[in-house]
Amino acid sequence: MFTPLFLGRLGLTEILVLVLLVVLLFGGKKIPELMRGVGRGVKEFKEGLNEKQESEKGTDEEKK
């Protein structure tokens, strides 16, 4: 089975190291701002998907 990069094999130690690196690179005060930006991006992505699905439903109904 193909696992892209390392995504299926992260253990607790690896996650802790990644979190520590993020804290060291960005500092504790910058992390909430970064997470807010990620949250906004995910929200916009989901809204875009919903709009696309709605528009596809409309075109499917027109064909009938």
Side-chain angles (χ1 to χ4, degrees):
M1 179 174 194
F2 177 73
T3 305
L5 297 176
F6 59 87
L7 294 179
R9 304 183 185 269
L10 281 179
L12 181 61
T13 307
E14 290 86 2
I15 292 172
L16 290 175
V17 169
L18 289 173
V19 169
L20 180 64
L21 284 173
V22 168
V23 170
L24 289 174
L25 288 174
F26 297 107
K29 294 181 180 180
K30 255 324 202 187
I31 292 174
E33 184 179 323
L34 290 170
M35 292 299 109
R36 259 185 245 112
V38 169
R40 286 185 197 123
V42 169
K43 182 179 176 183
E44 290 178 13
F45 179 74
K46 286 182 180 180
E47 289 174 355
L49 282 178
N50 288 336
E51 289 176 9
K52 181 165 175 53
Q53 288 175 349
E54 292 295 322
S55 68
E56 286 178 356
K57 284 181 184 177
T59 57
D60 289 342
E61 290 175 0
E62 290 175 3
K63 291 180 181 178
K64 292 180 182 181

